[in-house]
Amino acid sequence: MEIKTADLCDASPEDVRVAQPFGWKDYGGMKSFYGQIETVKCFEDNSLVRKALEEDGKGKVLVVDGGGSMRCALLGDMLGELAVKNKWNGILVYGCIRDSVALEKLHVGVKALGTIPLKSNKRNEGQKNIPVHFAAIDFMPGEYVYADEDGVIVSKENLIIESK
């Protein structure tokens, strides 16, 4: 289902928080996505990103606070394929990804700051499902994130009514 963040902002301005537009780029096959937030906070170690994407992601978006690091990738094609397999709607990475051409072919939304070919460390460090803060807003597990070509917004409640 395609969403439009501008329309959601117009319809419910008091219910949304708008992420600062500091250079999000689209890398996944879906440019528009939304879902309930799950978070991972990690720095140059994507071990917990993998663990999160191994879980059922139906109706969810994984928000990864990578500290804005541009030194290694926290997501690549293999984790992207895992996200599709486990039905994640999208992945928002405050950091870098790799394998951008392959990710673009997958039916999952991916936004990140940039690309770099270097993979991350694997030390099993980080935290899962805690509040994270970047782009001048808080991303709280259980709330909802909406992303498209215009930007990223967050709401406490689901703003989308899907027909069955």
Side-chain angles (χ1 to χ4, degrees):
M1 165 183 238
E2 185 175 349
I3 58 108
K4 293 184 174 15
T5 56
D7 291 347
L8 292 173
C9 286
D10 290 351
S12 303
E14 66 285 345
D15 295 328
V16 299
R17 302 186 305 274
V18 180
Q20 185 178 15
F22 58 79
W24 293 116
K25 295 181 182 118
D26 289 304
Y27 294 104
M30 295 172 48
K31 305 300 181 215
S32 168
F33 59 94
Y34 80 98
Q36 195 166 31
I37 296 171
E38 289 212 6
T39 66
V40 167
K41 183 173 182 147
C42 56
F43 187 73
E44 298 180 358
D45 179 346
N46 73 348
S47 304
L48 291 184
V49 175
R50 172 178 286 284
K51 286 180 182 172
L53 294 174
E54 287 173 344
E55 298 172 6
D56 180 18
K58 187 172 181 172
K60 298 177 185 174
V61 172
L62 183 62
V63 176
V64 180
D65 180 354
S69 174
M70 304 297 275
R71 298 189 305 196
C72 65
L74 296 175
L75 180 78
D77 60 345
M78 292 187 341
L79 293 185
E81 289 170 4
L82 188 59
V84 171
K85 175 185 170 199
N86 291 317
K87 299 178 174 56
W88 287 85
N89 289 357
I91 308 159
L92 186 64
V93 181
Y94 182 47
C96 286
I97 60 101
R98 67 188 208 159
D99 304 314
S100 61
V101 173
L103 285 173
E104 189 174 72
K105 296 175 184 169
L106 298 177
H107 189 72
V108 65
V110 177
K111 279 191 179 291
L113 299 181
T115 62
I116 190 166
L118 185 64
K119 67 181 177 179
S120 79
N121 294 308
K122 310 285 189 277
R123 298 181 305 261
N124 291 313
E125 295 178 356
Q127 296 171 288
K128 189 172 175 234
N129 281 329
I130 62 164
V132 296
H133 181 87
F134 57 89
I137 65 170
D138 292 320
F139 294 86
M140 307 292 288
E143 292 187 349
Y144 292 83
V145 64
Y146 308 83
D148 66 6
E149 297 88 343
D150 287 338
V152 175
I153 63 174
V154 172
S155 174
K156 290 181 180 183
E157 303 296 325
N158 187 352
L159 303 175
I160 305 292
I161 300 169
E162 294 187 46
S163 56
K164 303 266 176 182

